């Protein structure tokens, strides 16, 4: 790939890139993989996948994405489609370890219903040089807190905040209704904000 063509693909919007990849444009597929790999890796990391398996899971997700990209009928559903790949692989890993997803209701652990539109404010990515260490530490703290959430809360917050999926897409992936998704996301955000208070005040 020449420098000119590399720049061409880097400047393409996501949907044009997907369409090109579906037409067996391997350069477009390569750029698509580059764009998605960090998000997919981070999702597995925050889902609590074992450290030794995160890279393998990421590679498998990218392989499935590449192999099946032609079968995606609507490029606008790409993010949701990738979210399904990540979710299925994560649950496959749980089954291999003979772990059973939490089935108990945890609604009673939340004292009240927080506004479902509340947002999780994490550290600003535009850190000054002398703030890098603090920023990295806070990122690790947030990761640990997300990993400590019950599985059904952890999954929806990751699909929403890291994968950028809509409530409807998340409901489809998790086989729940939109109201349940909104409620879980709101409670997860509320819990994380509560845990972060000692670090951001």
């Amino acid at each position: 790939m020449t420098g000119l063509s590399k720049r061409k693909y880097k400047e393409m919007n996501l949907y044009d890139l997907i369409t090109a990849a579906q037409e067996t444009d391997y350069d477009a597929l390569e750029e698509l993989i580059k764009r998605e790999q960090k998000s997919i890796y981070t999702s597995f990391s925050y889902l609590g996948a074992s450290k030794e398996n995160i890279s393998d899971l990421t590679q498998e997700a990218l392989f499935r994405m590449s192999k099946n990209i032609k079968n995606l009928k609507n490029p606008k559903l790409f993010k949701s489609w990738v979210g399904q790949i990540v979710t299925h692989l994560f649950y496959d890993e749980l089954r291999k370890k003979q772990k059973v997803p939490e089935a108990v209701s945890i609604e009673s652990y939340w004292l009240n219903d927080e506004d479902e539109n509340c947002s999780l404010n994490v550290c600003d990515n535009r850190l000054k040089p002398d703030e890098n260490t603090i920023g990295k530490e806070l990122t690790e703290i947030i990761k640990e807190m997300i990993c400590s959430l019950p599985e059904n809360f952890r999954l929806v917050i990751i699909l929403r905040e890291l994968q950028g999926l809509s409530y409807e897409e998340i409901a489809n992936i998790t086989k729940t209704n939109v109201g349940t998704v909104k409620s879980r996301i709101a409670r997860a955000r509320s819990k994380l904000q509560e845990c972060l208070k000692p670090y951001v005040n």
Side-chain angles (χ1 to χ4, degrees):
M1 197 191 305
T2 66
L4 180 61
S5 59
K6 280 186 178 181
R7 186 162 62 250
K8 166 191 170 185
Y9 289 105
K10 286 181 179 180
E11 293 173 352
M12 289 177 69
N13 66 55
L14 179 62
Y15 302 124
D16 288 342
L17 201 59
I18 294 167
T19 301
Q22 289 178 319
E23 295 172 353
T24 322
D25 185 331
Y26 294 111
D27 290 338
L29 182 59
E30 180 183 347
E31 176 62 26
L32 189 61
I33 290 171
K34 288 179 180 178
R35 290 190 191 184
E36 292 301 314
Q37 61 185 0
K38 183 177 180 180
S39 173
I40 291 173
Y41 183 94
T42 304
S43 294
F44 282 125
S45 176
Y46 276 60
L47 279 168
S50 57
K51 290 183 178 180
E52 62 271 18
N53 289 339
I54 293 175
S55 294
D56 290 341
L57 287 169
T58 301
Q59 289 179 10
E60 179 62 23
L62 291 170
F63 171 75
R64 293 188 184 186
M65 181 190 80
S66 303
K67 180 182 178 182
N68 299 301
I69 189 73
K70 289 184 178 181
N71 299 328
L72 180 63
K73 295 180 179 179
N74 186 351
K76 291 184 178 180
L77 298 179
F78 175 75
K79 285 291 185 181
S80 177
W81 179 65
V82 171
Q84 288 180 326
I85 293 175
V86 169
T87 303
H88 290 161
L89 282 172
F90 175 67
Y91 279 115
D92 283 346
E93 186 194 36
L94 286 183
R95 282 190 287 271
K96 287 177 183 177
K97 292 182 176 180
Q98 297 182 337
K99 290 184 178 179
V100 180
E102 299 246 356
V104 295
S105 172
I106 59 171
E107 299 295 327
S108 59
Y109 287 90
W110 307 94
L111 298 178
N112 51 56
D113 289 337
E114 298 290 338
D115 182 359
E116 64 184 24
N117 292 319
C118 70
S119 61
L120 170 63
N121 296 316
V122 297
C123 56
D124 187 349
N125 289 328
R126 298 169 297 177
L127 295 175
K128 297 176 182 178
D130 60 341
E131 296 175 322
N132 281 337
T133 301
I134 297 175
K136 288 178 182 178
E137 290 177 357
L138 187 55
T139 297
E140 284 302 313
I141 291 167
I142 293 170
K143 178 181 175 181
E144 290 177 8
M145 289 176 180
I146 290 177
C147 288
S148 71
L149 290 172
E151 185 179 302
N152 52 357
F153 280 62
R154 188 168 75 244
L155 180 60
V156 296
I157 199 73
I158 289 170
L159 291 175
R160 179 66 175 174
E161 302 295 348
L162 296 182
Q163 294 292 330
L165 303 187
S166 67
Y167 294 129
E168 291 77 11
E169 290 171 325
I170 297 172
N172 181 54
I173 291 173
T174 58
K175 294 179 172 55
T176 55
N177 58 57
V178 173
T180 298
V181 170
K182 288 183 177 181
S183 176
R184 289 176 178 175
I185 289 174
R187 285 166 171 76
R189 285 171 172 167
S190 178
K191 181 64 175 177
L192 291 172
Q193 287 177 326
E194 179 183 338
C195 293
L196 282 172
K197 283 181 180 178
Y199 302 97
V200 297
N201 284 345

